[in-house]
Amino acid sequence: MHGAMLAFIARSMAKPSGWLRPVALRKLTGRYLAHQEGLPHLPVPPLQQTLDRYLLALQPIISEEEWTHTKGLVDEFRKPGGVGERLQKGLERRARKTENWLSDWWLKTAYLEYRLPVVVHSSPGVVLPKQDFVDQQGQLRFAAKLIEGILDFKTMIDNETLPVEYLGGKPLCMNQYYQIFSSCRIPGSKHDSVVNYAKGKKPPSHITVVHNFQFFELDVYSSDGSPLTTDQIFIQLEKIWNTSLQTNKEPIGILTTNHRNSWAKAYNHLIKDKTNKESVRSIEKSIFTVCLDSPIPRVSDDIYKSRMAAQMLHGGGSRWNSGNRWFDKTLQFIVAEDGSCGLVYEHAPSEGPPIVALLDHIVEYTKKPELVRSPMIPLPMPKKLRFNITPEIKNDIEKAKQNLNIMVQDLDIKVMVFHHFGKNFPKLEKISPDAFIQMALQLAYYRMYGQVCATYESASLRMFRLGRTDTIRSASVDSLKFVQAMDNPSKQAIRGNAIDRHLLGMKLQAIEDLVSMPELFMDTAYAVAMHFNLSTSQVPAKTDCVMCFGPVVPDGYGVCYNPMDDHINFAMSAYNSCAETNAARLAHYLEKALLDMRLLLQSTPKSKL
């Protein structure tokens, strides 16, 4: 390949990516509120810039004829005094009046109004390194230490001493950390809501523990307000274990895996009964949930991590651990008897990086030796949460089981540990590791399908107050040239200059203004641009873990990765019901693409770059 093409690759890859890198943490003396108020507001990007970039983003993914048609619609939309300007002014007004013009809309449209089950479709899982215990004692001892580590992190949130994170020297919004404890999603018939009990007068002091589908309320603070120690928690977990040995209980938690409208109906049936309502409230209010899982059938080492990813995402189906969950709970930590552990989290309150920062803290904490043996004061028996199961609720559980098992059968998930190199190699070549991996994904997809597709990579907007994410569109005119040349993305998103949320904002503004929907948003090209066959996310962690999530479209892939120094953890998902997609095949092509790109860089004189 000629020098100009190599120079292009170096240029396109050297742009730092938008997703959070592991961030240097610094202690700040200022409190949370003062910090938040110092953050800039999310800008509304200039209208013409977004429309130009939209047309550019469409070029590699639609035909010339379709593009010309769309350009006509864009030109109409951008006319002086036209509909585009009117909607832009509405957005700018909204930005002046609110803390963040996007955050409420995004929470509603991306999460709370989304009606598919949270399991697989929305909630990400995280696979942690396998622990070396193999029995119930080890499981409970580790779970106790884990709980103590989580409470240690929570203390930093409660005292507002959590170190502020920085990206490129700029402080980031820390709001998501204040949303993850003592919170829960509540199903509704048209849209869900999220409740957060941490802010109340009397914040919750208990967690929920689930074992053999049975739920318990466990107080984790002693009467003087200090957290229980590992030893004390261990004794309480043993009591829970010994009073929940029956394995024939109705899996009430499986109701939370259903389609949101069905679950909303079942939820209303469930809480008509006073006992049930109290039990449900206890789960919703709890600081977080710990799931003590049964071991899954032994499998060979090469598929173990993929099987674990499935356990974290959905629990393996109604016969295994799916009933050992309350999927509406923001944080659920999973510890199984065979040493496998991880978590699943409800996505509405938070993105991946705050969750991973919490995990990094916990994993470090669990490695610390026990410092003091705690005095053994007798502790009260943890409270078992009772449920009265009516025939109607039993029927709801059966239906939820059937739907879940179909979903479990349909999910094709593959964890690949790429051992040849990690982030150190692209760094040595002065290339952003994230950009390098994104280009390898583009190359793998192009080799599999002979075309590029709309590709979503989440980019953090936490530089702005209450910022969540925007989209880096990794498939570009340049990336198409690169993948074509191999065989024969830009840093703007985090600055609040990407196009996706701006376009969504104008569409929602049109709905709010009760004006007719602009042609631009009814155009097939808009649907193609929003149909992300590749939905990707870099979630870096110090811990050797990997996050995983389901595809966002029926014929797509979900790809999450954690680049470590000398290897890269990938989790890839697809649906078995789509004949065209296959997670193991994507893993194979991705491995080859990464190796070919390394070869290309190594066989090229540095002066050419």
Side-chain angles (χ1 to χ4, degrees):
M1 281 172 63
H2 49 79
M5 178 50 66
L6 284 164
F8 152 69
I9 299 169
R11 268 200 324 278
S12 77
M13 291 185 186
K15 294 168 182 169
S17 112
W19 196 227
L20 272 180
R21 288 175 273 297
V23 184
L25 296 179
R26 270 196 266 164
K27 271 275 184 348
L28 275 201
T29 48
R31 289 297 198 214
Y32 166 70
L33 201 65
H35 160 72
Q36 290 296 107
E37 283 173 358
L39 292 169
H41 288 268
L42 179 70
V44 177
L47 176 65
Q48 303 302 341
Q49 170 187 294
T50 291
L51 296 175
D52 289 342
R53 287 181 179 171
Y54 175 53
L55 287 172
L56 208 54
L58 286 173
Q59 262 182 323
I61 58 174
I62 61 174
S63 71
E64 215 168 310
E65 196 182 341
E66 289 171 310
W67 191 85
T68 309
H69 170 74
T70 300
K71 187 175 184 312
L73 297 181
V74 167
D75 290 343
E76 183 62 31
F77 188 81
R78 69 178 2 156
K79 272 183 184 165
V83 67
E85 276 191 6
R86 228 179 32 250
L87 295 174
Q88 177 76 359
K89 284 199 170 72
L91 276 188
E92 287 165 353
R93 257 196 320 277
R94 183 181 168 91
R96 284 193 296 274
K97 287 194 315 217
T98 56
E99 223 181 331
N100 182 313
W101 64 264
L102 174 63
S103 57
D104 278 356
W105 270 349
W106 182 244
L107 180 66
K108 285 184 186 124
T109 53
Y111 300 115
L112 302 181
E113 289 170 0
Y114 188 67
R115 301 285 79 198
L116 287 176
V118 291
V119 182
V120 174
H121 297 285
S122 173
S123 298
V126 180
V127 180
L128 284 171
K130 190 174 195 292
Q131 301 301 311
D132 54 10
F133 58 80
V134 288
D135 60 8
Q136 173 247 342
Q137 284 281 310
Q139 177 187 16
L140 298 188
R141 172 72 48 197
F142 177 77
K145 187 84 179 175
L146 180 100
I147 291 165
E148 195 181 27
I150 302 163
L151 296 176
D152 186 63
F153 191 85
K154 181 177 175 288
T155 302
M156 290 195 287
I157 293 175
D158 294 344
N159 298 344
E160 298 188 5
T161 55
L162 189 68
V164 167
E165 293 172 345
Y166 283 78
L167 179 62
K170 293 205 162 59
L172 298 181
C173 175
M174 300 297 283
N175 174 60
Q176 290 175 32
Y177 286 101
Y178 292 82
Q179 310 304 326
I180 57 179
F181 288 117
S182 312
S183 59
C184 194
R185 185 162 166 162
I186 311 288
S189 57
K190 292 198 173 60
H191 62 83
D192 293 357
S193 53
V194 172
V195 287
N196 185 328
Y197 290 96
K199 301 178 175 78
K201 283 192 178 69
K202 193 170 176 288
S205 58
H206 70 277
I207 65 170
T208 303
V209 179
V210 208
H211 176 236
N212 281 337
F213 310 160
Q214 296 159 70
F215 290 78
F216 291 81
E217 178 178 306
L218 170 59
D219 271 312
V220 286
Y221 290 92
S222 51
S223 50
D224 66 357
S226 60
L228 297 189
T229 63
T230 299
D231 287 341
Q232 291 171 319
I233 298 166
F234 174 71
I235 286 168
Q236 296 298 74
L237 291 177
E238 272 202 315
K239 290 179 193 168
I240 286 172
W241 180 280
N242 291 327
T243 50
S244 54
L245 296 171
Q246 320 88 304
T247 52
N248 59 348
K249 294 291 183 186
E250 281 296 333
I252 197 86
I254 221 132
L255 292 171
T256 63
T257 67
N258 220 342
H259 185 281
R260 302 308 294 174
N261 292 359
S262 311
W263 168 217
K265 278 198 195 103
Y267 181 86
N268 290 331
H269 295 160
L270 186 66
I271 63 171
K272 269 192 228 143
D273 175 283
K274 187 169 171 285
T275 303
N276 294 351
K277 189 175 185 172
E278 280 173 11
S279 295
V280 168
R281 284 290 177 272
S282 170
I283 296 169
E284 289 168 354
K285 286 181 176 176
S286 65
I287 303 166
F288 55 89
T289 295
V290 172
C291 312
L292 300 172
D293 272 15
S294 313
I296 55 162
R298 294 194 64 148
V299 290
S300 62
D301 285 354
D302 58 328
I303 63 163
Y304 169 78
K305 278 198 163 138
S306 302
R307 193 60 63 84
M308 276 332 305
Q311 280 295 309
M312 298 310 145
L313 276 177
H314 55 56
S318 64
R319 285 185 52 218
W320 300 106
N321 293 300
S322 300
N324 223 39
R325 306 276 185 277
W326 192 268
F327 281 101
D328 287 5
K329 198 72 196 138
T330 306
L331 286 174
Q332 297 196 91
F333 296 86
I334 297 157
V335 182
E337 212 177 319
D338 57 8
S340 49
C341 59
L343 96 165
V344 59
Y345 74 96
E346 201 289 300
H347 211 328
S350 174
E351 260 72 58
I355 306 294
V356 164
L358 162 64
L359 275 181
D360 281 341
H361 181 88
I362 299 162
V363 169
E364 278 310 298
Y365 193 92
T366 55
K367 291 176 187 165
K368 285 184 187 170
E370 303 280 315
L371 294 174
V372 286
R373 305 302 294 172
S374 44
M376 281 299 129
I377 40 172
L379 293 162
M381 183 70 198
K383 181 182 168 192
K384 186 165 194 174
L385 301 179
R386 304 281 171 194
F387 287 96
N388 295 321
I389 312 281
T390 62
E392 189 176 30
I393 294 165
K394 173 104 174 83
N395 189 33
D396 289 334
I397 289 172
E398 287 310 311
K399 280 191 286 200
K401 273 188 194 175
Q402 286 166 8
N403 294 339
L404 171 78
N405 291 339
I406 292 166
M407 219 163 32
V408 166
Q409 289 305 308
D410 195 18
L411 186 71
D412 169 21
I413 187 152
K414 166 85 179 155
V415 171
M416 170 177 90
V417 181
F418 178 80
H419 280 297
H420 304 276
F421 57 85
K423 65 185 174 193
N424 285 350
F425 169 69
K427 276 182 172 173
L428 279 173
E429 300 285 340
K430 303 280 188 290
I431 290 171
S432 144
D434 186 49
F436 189 85
I437 293 166
Q438 283 291 327
M439 292 303 286
L441 273 165
Q442 289 299 312
L443 179 56
Y445 192 93
Y446 184 78
R447 284 171 167 177
M448 285 170 82
Y449 298 103
Q451 62 188 60
V452 298
C453 67
T455 304
Y456 181 112
E457 183 188 7
S458 35
S460 176
L461 288 176
R462 283 176 57 209
M463 280 182 185
F464 305 102
R465 204 181 302 183
L466 303 184
R468 294 289 301 251
T469 58
D470 208 326
T471 308
I472 298 173
R473 287 181 168 266
S474 314
S476 63
V477 174
D478 284 345
S479 74
L480 177 60
K481 282 182 192 159
F482 164 63
V483 296
Q484 286 172 333
M486 269 299 272
D487 285 343
N488 125 284
S490 163
K491 66 179 176 184
Q492 296 299 329
I494 56 168
R495 310 263 168 218
N497 271 323
I499 63 172
D500 282 73
R501 305 297 183 261
H502 188 198
L503 290 168
L504 173 71
M506 288 188 286
K507 184 178 170 182
L508 294 173
Q509 188 67 48
I511 293 167
E512 199 160 277
D513 294 349
L514 299 173
V515 296
S516 63
M517 186 54 70
E519 285 274 317
L520 181 66
F521 301 119
M522 311 293 275
D523 180 27
T524 49
Y526 186 71
V528 171
M530 297 303 155
H531 188 92
F532 293 106
N533 291 87
L534 273 177
S535 175
T536 73
S537 187
Q538 175 185 228
V539 183
K542 295 190 189 85
T543 307
D544 193 5
C545 62
V546 66
M547 192 171 274
C548 46
F549 48 78
V552 297
V553 293
D555 57 344
Y557 294 97
V559 183
C560 198
Y561 50 96
N562 176 13
M564 307 296 286
D565 286 346
D566 299 307
H567 66 277
I568 308 168
N569 296 329
F570 287 97
M572 284 159 252
S573 63
Y575 291 117
N576 290 318
S577 51
C578 175
E580 283 74 48
T581 56
N582 181 307
R585 195 163 162 252
L586 178 63
H588 168 78
Y589 275 85
L590 179 57
E591 181 165 34
K592 185 164 175 5
L594 285 162
L595 291 171
D596 287 352
M597 283 167 59
R598 175 174 70 171
L599 192 63
L600 176 71
L601 286 167
Q602 286 175 333
S603 60
T604 307
K606 287 279 186 284
S607 59
K608 290 265 176 74
L609 293 172

